[in-house]
Amino acid sequence: MPEQQFKLHPRLAADTHWVCDWPASTVLLMNDTRFPWLVLVPRVPDVVELFQLSAQQQQAVFREIVVLGEAVQSLFGADKINTGALGNLVSQLHIHVIARFSGDCAWPGPVWGVGQVQPYAEPVLAQRLDDLRAGLPKP
Amino acid sequence: MPEQQFKLHPRLAADTHWVCDWPASTVLLMNDTRFPWLVLVPRVPDVVELFQLSAQQQQAVFREIVVLGEAVQSLFGADKINTGALGNLVSQLHIHVIARFSGDCAWPGPVWGVGQVQPYAEPVLAQRLDDLRAGLPKP
């Protein structure tokens, strides 16, 4: 993939913490303790919609969506995985993979735009990033 | 795919109109005039999460997600396609593909759970279904 021109959107960078780079996408943790909330950003410049990826890129990104969803459910014991590519606020293609629990503060609605973000405090953040880096498989 | 045991969830059936059957999924139109809102339901029994599909089923379903997204954007001139697999209310795996417009009644938030559904009146519904059946490509 032509990564030389890819640059993470500043809003995504501000709202998240970097977890790791997978072959096609960068894995980010949304800075919000209310939900175990990961974001995949395909490292392809100037792509807004899934269908703008090449067939090869689509296959790699979809593989990573599935692997991340299964890992997040397993790591957090989620009741449901919510997967979404919206991009109404930040057009750079990014895919949310969120562990949902019946009874979480947005259940059964979607998480986007609901309530107030609760950022991670430092020791909890470091532990969560360690857990994710140790627990996420290689896609 | 083992279609013999597949049965569309009654809530999905009640909220939508059937558009067509694609190789892996049934295409439905959400009965809500506020958004051009399609739903793909993979015809696989007892599947809740994308990662529960076989690799072959995943590939087919993802292909249909991409084809539907591109077609919906083209048919409706959407500003953004929103794609999501949530399933917090109806666990049967289904993928929303929604044409969004800056300035629509939920913009820039997600559409799920927002405001009141506005069902199609009959002549408009028939026209929309005709347009979709004529305009959607074969994936």
Side-chain angles (χ1 to χ4, degrees):
Chain A
M1 290 188 186
E3 294 188 30
Q4 66 281 8
Q5 299 169 290
F6 172 79
K7 190 173 184 308
L8 185 64
H9 190 287
R11 172 78 182 262
L12 285 175
D15 291 347
T16 64
H17 296 280
W18 179 84
V19 178
C20 58
D21 278 354
W22 277 358
S25 317
T26 292
V27 184
L28 303 170
L29 173 68
M30 191 67 79
N31 189 21
D32 190 339
T33 59
R34 298 175 301 162
F35 316 97
W37 182 343
L38 285 290
V39 179
L40 280 174
V41 186
R43 289 189 304 279
V44 183
D46 303 327
V47 168
V48 171
E49 301 286 358
L50 290 165
F51 57 78
Q52 294 169 338
L53 297 171
S54 71
Q56 189 180 359
Q57 289 165 344
Q58 284 171 21
Q59 198 164 11
V61 168
F62 285 141
R63 174 79 191 140
E64 295 180 359
I65 291 171
V66 167
V67 168
L68 186 60
E70 187 161 18
V72 164
Q73 198 203 35
S74 169
L75 286 171
F76 297 101
D79 295 320
K80 188 70 193 70
I81 297 300
N82 284 183
T83 307
L86 284 77
N88 303 339
L89 289 169
V90 175
S91 63
Q92 181 176 69
L93 179 62
H94 60 287
I95 301 101
H96 303 267
V97 176
I98 309 155
R100 300 300 307 275
F101 301 87
S102 65
D104 70 32
C105 67
W107 187 268
V111 302
W112 301 282
V114 169
Q116 291 299 312
V117 169
Q118 296 181 8
Y120 284 91
E122 187 47 55
V124 178
L125 172 65
Q127 185 63 54
R128 172 132 305 177
L129 291 172
D130 283 351
D131 291 348
L132 286 167
R133 289 173 189 146
L136 292 183
K138 303 292 175 210
Chain B
M1 291 191 184
E3 295 189 29
Q4 67 281 8
Q5 300 170 290
F6 172 79
K7 192 173 182 308
L8 185 64
H9 190 288
R11 172 79 182 261
L12 285 175
D15 290 348
T16 64
H17 295 281
W18 179 85
V19 178
C20 58
D21 278 354
W22 278 357
S25 317
T26 292
V27 184
L28 303 170
L29 173 68
M30 192 66 80
N31 189 21
D32 191 339
T33 59
R34 298 175 300 163
F35 315 98
W37 180 344
L38 284 290
V39 179
L40 279 174
V41 187
R43 289 189 305 280
V44 183
D46 303 326
V47 168
V48 171
E49 301 286 0
L50 290 165
F51 58 77
Q52 294 169 339
L53 296 171
S54 71
Q56 188 181 359
Q57 290 165 344
Q58 284 170 21
Q59 199 165 9
V61 168
F62 285 141
R63 174 80 192 138
E64 294 180 0
I65 291 171
V66 167
V67 169
L68 186 60
E70 186 161 19
V72 164
Q73 198 203 34
S74 169
L75 285 172
F76 298 101
D79 294 320
K80 188 70 193 67
I81 297 300
N82 285 184
T83 307
L86 284 78
N88 304 339
L89 289 169
V90 175
S91 62
Q92 181 175 70
L93 179 62
H94 59 287
I95 301 100
H96 302 267
V97 176
I98 309 155
R100 300 299 308 275
F101 300 88
S102 64
D104 71 31
C105 67
W107 188 267
V111 302
W112 302 283
V114 169
Q116 291 300 311
V117 169
Q118 296 180 8
Y120 284 91
E122 186 47 54
V124 179
L125 172 64
Q127 185 63 54
R128 172 133 304 178
L129 291 172
D130 283 352
D131 291 346
L132 285 167
R133 288 172 190 147
L136 292 182
K138 303 294 174 208

